[in-house]
Amino acid sequence: AVFLTVFTLVLDFMKRRRKWSRYPPGPTSLPFIGTMLSVDFQNPHLSFNKLQKKFGNVFNLQNCWTNMVVLNGYKAVKEALVHRSEDFADRPYMPVYEQLGYGSKFPGIVMARYGHVWKELRRFTLSTLRNFGMGKKSLEERVKEEAGFLCSEISSEEGRPFDLRFLVNNAVCNVICTTIYGKRFDYGDETFKKLLHLFEEFLKEETGFLTQLLNVVPTLLHIPGLLQKVFRGQKEFMDFTDMFVHKHMETWNPAYTRDFTDEFLKEMKKGKAAEESGFNYNNLRLVTTDLFGAGTETTSTTLRWAVLYMILHPEIQSKVQAEIDKVIGRERSPTMEDQVSMPYTNAVIHEVQRCGDVVPIGVPHRTYRDTELQGFFIPKGTTIITNLSSVLKDETVWEKPNEFYPEHFLDTNGKFVKPEAFLPFSAGRRVCLGEQLARMELFIFFTTLLQKFTFVLPEDQPRPREDGHFAFISSPHPYLVRAIPR
Ligand code: HEM
C-alpha cells in the first residue's frame, strides 16, 4: 500500500510538471516540495524580488502540487489584470473553503471562482454599498462621525505614549459594522470587544501556516477532526455574527432597508433558487465575513502606516497640517469635497499607500483559460501571484521607489497626479471592491487626525522600523506614539 501511495503521488506530481513550451522559467523544482525552498514564506515578496532579478518579470514556482506563476513589475501585472482581464479573473481552488461546509459551493466574493454567481454577488454588493453610502453623503457622515469618536478617545490619552492599533481598529471596524448591520458600537461595548477578539482570532487562523498547508496538501483534510480544530476561530466568529443576522430577520421590513444585511435578505426572499444564485443564508455569512476580512485590517493598517510616516517625517506632517489649516481650518470637519483643493495631503496619503504596501502579493488569481503573457504560455488553472509590491516599487516607474517621497504624486506645479502604476487596490475584474470606501476612510480619518493632533515619537522610544511585518498583510512593527493636541 505504501509503495502504491508513493507511486501515485510521484505520478501525480510528474503529471502536473508537464513541460509546456514557452512556459515561464523558474528555479529548479524538487520532488514533492517543488520550489518551496526558494521562497521565504515570512517575506514572500522579498523572495520574489530576488527571483525576479534572476528569472525576469514572469517566472514559475511550484508550491508542492500547485503550479504557480508570479507576475512582477507594472508592465506584466497590467497586461494580465487589465488587457487580459478575463483570462486571469479566476481564483485558485481552496479546498478548505469547500470542506468547511457552509456556503461551500459559492464561497462569498473574495475567494469565489470566476463565474455568474461571483458576478451577481459582486454587482449586488457594489451597488448596495454605493446606495447605502459608498460615495454618498450618508456613509461619509458616518465616517466623519467615527473620526470624531476616534479623536475623543485619542484625546483621553492626554499626550501619553500609546499604541494606536486598538483605537484605529475599532474605528475602522465600526465603519464596516455601520455598513453591514446599520450600527456602530462604543469602543468599550462588550459585544463589540468580543466581535473584535473573535475576528482577530479568525484572521490569525486564515493566514496561518496550517491553513496554507491544508490548501496545498488537501489530502491532510482527511485527518479526522483537523479541520474543525484549525477553523475553530472562524466558526466562532461566524456563529457570533449570526446573532446580528437573526435580529435583522426578526425586525425585517421590506419597505424599509436599513443596511447591507437587509438588502441581502430582500434578495433571498425573492426566492431565486438559492443554490444557483448565491443569495442564501450561508453566503450572507460568508459575504459579510469577507467585507470584515477585506475591509478592516487593510484600512486600519494603512492608517497606522500613515501615522508612522508622519512621526518619522515631521516636516511632511507640518506641511499637511498647513494645508489643512488653509483649506479647512481648525473648526470644520474635513469632507471629501476638500480633497480636490488639497493636492499635498492627497499626495501624502497616496505615498503612504505606495510605501506601506499593505497587500504586497495581492490575492491569488488563477487562469480561467490557456493564455499568453509577455510572450510566455500560461495554461488554464495556473495559480497567479500578482506581486503588487514590485509594481508599487517598480524602479522603472518611481523616482525614489524605496523612499517616502510624496512628490511621486505631484507635478512641477504642485498639482496632484496619479501614475498608472499606483495599484495598491490591484486592477481589472477583481479590483478591490471597497476601493471607494477605503479612499474615503483614509482621507477623512487622516485629515481629521492631523487637524486635531500632532503625532510625535515619545522621547524614550527608539526610532520605529520602516520595514513591514508580513502576515498576508504587511503592517508596521508595533510602535508607541504621543498625540499632542493642536
Ligand atoms: C480585494 C486591497 C479595502 C473589499 C482586494 C485586493 C486588494 C485589495 C489588493 C485583491 C484584488 C485582486 O484580486 O486582484 C485593499 C486595500 C484596502 C482595501 C489596500 C484599504 C486600504 C477594502 C474595503 C473593502 C474591501 C474597505 C470592503 C468594504 C474587498 C473585496 C475584495 C477585495 C470584497 C475581493 C474582490 C473580488 O474578488 O472580486 N482589496 N482593499 N477592500 N477587497 Fe479590498
Side-chain angles (χ1 to χ4, degrees), residues 330-367:
R330 298 275 177 105
E331 300 303 323
R332 177 173 73 74
S333 302
T335 70
M336 285 313 285
E337 278 172 18
D338 294 318
Q339 200 180 25
V340 283
S341 326
M342 302 176 70
Y344 190 75
T345 306
N346 207 8
V348 168
I349 294 173
H350 281 74
E351 184 66 354
V352 166
Q353 283 204 271
R354 190 195 70 78
C355 257
D357 186 14
V358 290
V359 195
I361 57 166
V363 177
H365 286 232
R366 185 179 197 256
T367 39

Side-chain angles (χ1 to χ4, degrees), residues 91 109-110 118 122 294-295 298 302 363 365 424-426 430 432 434:
R91 291 282 190 221
I109 298 177
V110 181
W118 164 79
R122 186 176 160 109
T298 42
T302 308
V363 177
H365 286 232
F425 297 102
S426 187
R430 289 281 188 165
C432 173

Side-chain angles (χ1 to χ4, degrees), residues 272-290:
K272 292 180 192 170
E275 277 308 301
E276 291 311 311
S277 71
F279 289 102
N280 53 50
Y281 185 77
N282 278 339
N283 229 10
L284 169 57
R285 301 168 97 203
L286 285 161
V287 172
T288 50
T289 304
D290 270 357

Side-chain angles (χ1 to χ4, degrees), residues 29-310:
S29 174
L30 300 170
F32 300 124
I33 58 167
T35 56
M36 281 176 83
L37 296 181
S38 309
V39 179
D40 165 10
F41 287 90
Q42 306 281 328
N43 285 297
H45 52 302
L46 302 183
S47 301
F48 295 162
N49 294 347
K50 280 189 202 145
L51 291 167
Q52 178 189 10
K53 290 208 168 75
K54 193 159 174 200
F55 297 105
N57 289 335
V58 182
F59 59 81
N60 95 73
L61 287 178
Q62 190 173 24
N63 207 352
C64 294
W65 269 236
T66 313
N67 290 324
M68 291 168 56
V69 166
V70 184
L71 311 182
N72 302 274
Y74 172 60
K75 277 196 186 137
V77 171
K78 186 180 173 190
E79 185 182 334
L81 297 182
V82 180
H83 301 312
R84 295 176 187 266
S85 193
E86 189 171 51
D87 293 4
F88 287 87
D90 205 1
R91 291 282 190 221
Y93 166 61
M94 298 277 189
V96 285
Y97 280 92
E98 196 156 297
Q99 293 289 320
L100 277 168
Y102 28 77
S104 54
K105 220 167 155 197
F106 309 120
I109 298 177
V110 181
M111 290 320 292
R113 303 293 303 273
Y114 180 68
H116 82 277
V117 175
W118 164 79
K119 273 189 199 162
E120 203 175 328
L121 275 175
R122 186 176 160 109
R123 202 178 309 124
F124 163 81
T125 306
L126 266 173
S127 81
T128 305
L129 294 182
R130 204 173 290 131
N131 293 339
F132 271 108
M134 262 203 193
K136 259 178 75 177
K137 212 65 177 181
S138 63
L139 191 54
E140 186 179 335
E141 285 304 326
R142 305 280 184 116
V143 175
K144 279 163 69 177
E145 186 190 59
E146 197 57 49
F149 285 114
L150 176 62
C151 287
S152 7
E153 291 288 332
I154 293 179
S155 291
S156 64
E157 299 290 340
E158 296 178 335
R160 289 184 295 262
F162 74 108
D163 185 345
L164 264 178
R165 186 169 188 273
F166 168 73
L167 294 180
V168 170
N169 271 359
N170 285 0
V172 171
C173 193
N174 254 337
V175 173
I176 296 289
C177 287
T178 302
T179 316
I180 300 177
Y181 303 127
K183 70 175 281 180
R184 74 170 295 279
F185 297 86
D186 286 337
Y187 296 174
D189 184 291
E190 289 305 321
T191 308
F192 190 49
K193 283 205 245 174
K194 178 139 194 218
L195 181 82
L196 282 164
H197 168 71
L198 291 177
F199 180 58
E200 198 147 297
E201 292 300 304
F202 154 61
L203 280 185
K204 262 192 233 156
E205 242 174 44
E206 188 144 59
T207 54
F209 173 73
L210 213 48
T211 309
Q212 308 313 322
L213 186 69
L214 286 173
N215 272 325
V216 289
V217 194
T219 322
L220 297 175
L221 289 168
H222 298 299
I223 299 176
L226 183 65
L227 200 70
Q228 285 69 18
K229 198 160 179 273
V230 176
F231 284 98
R232 197 186 297 138
Q234 173 155 3
K235 190 166 179 327
E236 275 185 31
F237 175 76
M238 289 171 80
D239 288 349
F240 190 71
T241 58
D242 276 350
M243 183 177 77
F244 301 112
V245 180
H246 288 149
K247 268 200 192 133
H248 272 69
M249 284 170 143
E250 283 160 19
T251 53
W252 187 65
N253 175 356
Y256 176 66
T257 308
R258 293 163 293 188
D259 47 40
F260 182 84
T261 304
D262 272 359
E263 199 65 41
F264 201 101
L265 290 173
K266 203 153 117 193
E267 280 310 299
M268 278 165 59
K269 300 261 169 155
K270 280 186 188 163
K272 292 180 192 170
E275 277 308 301
E276 291 311 311
S277 71
F279 289 102
N280 53 50
Y281 185 77
N282 278 339
N283 229 10
L284 169 57
R285 301 168 97 203
L286 285 161
V287 172
T288 50
T289 304
D290 270 357
L291 295 178
F292 270 107
T296 52
E297 198 70 9
T298 42
T299 314
S300 66
T301 303
T302 308
L303 286 167
R304 282 192 293 130
W305 275 118
V307 172
L308 178 67
Y309 286 125
M310 292 305 98

